Every structure is written in C-alpha cells, then in structure tokens.
Amino acid sequence: MPLSSRPDRAPCAVPARRLLALGAVTALLATGCAYSAGAHSGEPAPTAASSTGSPATPAPSATPSATPAATGPADPQPAGVVVTPADAAVEHNPVDPVVVRTGRGELGEVVLVPAAGGEPVPGERSADGRTWTSTDVLAFDTAYVLHWTAAAGGTPSAGTSTFSTVSAAQEVDARVNVAEGGTYGTGQILQFTFSEPVLHRDEVERAITVRGGGDRAGAFRWYSDTVLRYRPAETWEPHSEVTVSLDLLGLDVGGGMIGNHDLRRSFSIGAEHYARVDDATKTLTAYVDGEVAGTFPVTLGNPDWPSTTGRKVIMEQAPSYLFKASSLSLQPGDPHWYETFWASNVSRLTASGEFVHQALPSAMPVLGQANVSHGCVGMSAEGAKFIHDVFRPGDIVEVVGTGYPQADPDDGYGDWNIPLEHYADESWKGNW
C-alpha cells in the first residue's frame, strides 16, 4: 500500500502525543451477527389521502407533511384504494416498498415511474388481485409518480399519487480501511468512517458482520460519532480470509440520516510478522510465523523526543518519504533542526509521525548504542529494507523500555494496547 506523498507530515512523533483522529476508512460486529436494513413487517392502517383523478366523488387532497406523517397510507377511494407512501410524501426511505391496496374489487393497472422519466419500477400483485407491492429498491433523491386503476362492483376508478425519496442532504455513506482483494497483517484494525454523525450506534454495530480470520469474537470502539473500529479478541489467523459486511442501505443512523449503500470487502491475512524493538538492547528483532528472521541494531527517540511504547500497527509503507524539520515546527538554529531529506524504506507507525526507516548517515555509527532520532526507529539499510519488503500494513511493531507512555490509540492503530474487556469503553485510558 503506497504511502501518501504529502511532504509536510511529521517525520517523528511529538513528545506531547497529539491526539489525532484518523480519517481513514475503519466499524464491525462480533462474528456471525448481521442486520437486514431493508426488512420491515406489517403495514400501517389507512389514515391520509393519497390519490387524485377518480371519476367518483374525489377525496380531499392531502396536505404535505413532515416525514413521519408522509409515510402513512391514504384515505380510501371509491374502490377502497390506499397508497403507501401518502400523496405528496417526502423523504420516503427507498428500501421501504410502495404498496397499493384496495379493500374491495380488484386493482387494474399499477405503474410507478420516476417523475423525470425512466423505466417503471417492477412490482408484484397478490393472488387475490387486491394488493400491488414494489419489488426494487428505489433511487435516492428522486420524485416518483404512481398511476393506478381499480374496479369495484363494476365501477372503475383511477388515481395518481406522487412522492419523493430521501434527499441528498439526508443520505449517509461509509468507507472502510481495507481494499477488496488486499492482503494485510495479522494486526490489521478495521475502521469504518461515516459521512454523517451516527446517533443510533447499536443499530450500526448490529448491521456489521465479520467472518473468517479465525472466526474470533471481537469488539467495537467508537472514537467519534463518525469513526468506529473493530478488532478481534486476538490477532487474525495467519494465512486466512476475512469478509466484512455493513448493511447500511436504508438504515436510519439517527437524525433522519439514511444509509445509501451496503458495503462489502473480502481480503486476506498474510504470514504472521511481528517486530519487537527493545530500548535496553537497542535492537529490533523480527519474527515471521513465530520464528526469528533477523535482529538489527536501531536508534530510537532522543531524551527530548522519546519513542512511544506499546504495540503499533504499520499503517502504510513507501520506498522513500520526504522528512522536513518544519513539520515539527523546528526552525534553523534549533538544536533539533535537521536538513530536509528523503528517508528510505519507510513504514509509518503513527499518524503524528513515528516511522521505521533507514537512519541518516550521521546516525549510522550509533545504531545499537544511543538514541538520536525524533521518535522514529532508525535502522541500518539492511534492516529498514527487510521491514519494508517483508512486513506489510497491518503487521505489529512493539516498542518497549523507553520509559515513555503508549501512543494514543487513535494516533495510528494502537488498539491492541487496550484490553478487550475495556475496548468498548471510550473513557478507558490505560497508560497513554
């Protein structure tokens, strides 16, 4: 996964440990639970007028109303016809079917079309000929016209009804931080980012299903009204497949906001890669599927810019990345100032700027002996290339022994530092 090429991102972590909310994509339920956003049972009783154009005595025209009233049925016509949603209804949920029913006689022709033109919406007629129900999800932000005919006791009647579906301002969509068909490390955190605030959190969690990856129970954690994460109880099973589903279409997330699509992703979990960085020995030990694959000398953050501790997930990687001292608000003359340079074989650990990368030439003589970086894990050319080439986004790099607290869990994907029993508790702070 390529690293974004923005040159102004901080190259190393700021000791104040900025709390940064991630904008990526990454929200999910315990294995096996799903929610059908389009399932509805029962129909409301006739209450409001819906049709015009009957040759019999016409019913009074309905007055446009707010969404709750607009979704109710209409007063019966001479043939006892009731249309749901009511005439002039607005913000109709596109997943809710349009229903035309007559209390006596039979329905004739029923045609539902977009007001601006287009193909008729398909529907099904009941065995007794008295009910017609649309069978396709409607379009969002669209006006519709419904024409019907009916006959009761030999008396024909006809009517027209109009309504509009959920407007663009009331739509909500979501994205997730894994790509279809991608391969990720065993520590990958799933993050969902919603375009609008979610008020009905429980409903959203129930709409998410995670299957595979060892089928281990997991938990959710909300970092804001728009950011939801999921992690399994343990890291994903190596060499496994995972499928993530969010049944968002038609789901009311609160405040009248309605989901406008479903989301599906299938991805792979690769080999188990884990790196342990120990300040006591100033080494990084790399493991592949539980076996030591290499030990490399490192330099960590200096006393003024110490490296945060804990388990961090590789967020993204790049063969080169521009580091600028100005991204840390450093100016020429500052004792921590450094010249702008392109770092090689970079793996990002935090949003605020901790990376694993090839150390500068000036730091090479002190690898394994002293800490001179601005919070990054500086390595030899061989070590940085190994991490870049063998490890991947989703793999865990754990730093121990610096004496500094953990990075905030949303400054990157520090979710593995939160015990599972506390994961859903947004107030739990641990040692960060």
Side-chain angles (χ1 to χ4, degrees), residues 16 32 40 48 62 82 98 113 128 136 138-139 160 170 207 224 233 236 243 246 285 291 311 328 346 366 386 406 411:
H40 298 271
V82 177
V98 176
V113 292
D128 62 8
D136 270 7
L138 304 180
T160 298
Q170 296 301 115
S224 72
W236 305 101
T243 299
L246 168 58
T285 303
E291 301 292 331
R311 288 176 287 180
L328 296 177
V346 175
V366 299
F386 180 89
Q406 297 168 355
D411 183 11

Side-chain angles (χ1 to χ4, degrees), residues 44-50 62 68-76 82-84 86:
T47 58
S50 72
T71 58
D75 285 341
V82 177
V83 177
T84 305

Side-chain angles (χ1 to χ4, degrees), residues 3 25 46 63 104 132 194 221 229 249 313 322 333 366 374:
L3 191 70
V25 143
T63 300
R104 58 188 183 276
W132 181 93
F194 297 86
R221 183 178 178 88
R229 289 184 185 173
L249 180 63
V313 175
L322 186 65
V366 299
H374 291 76

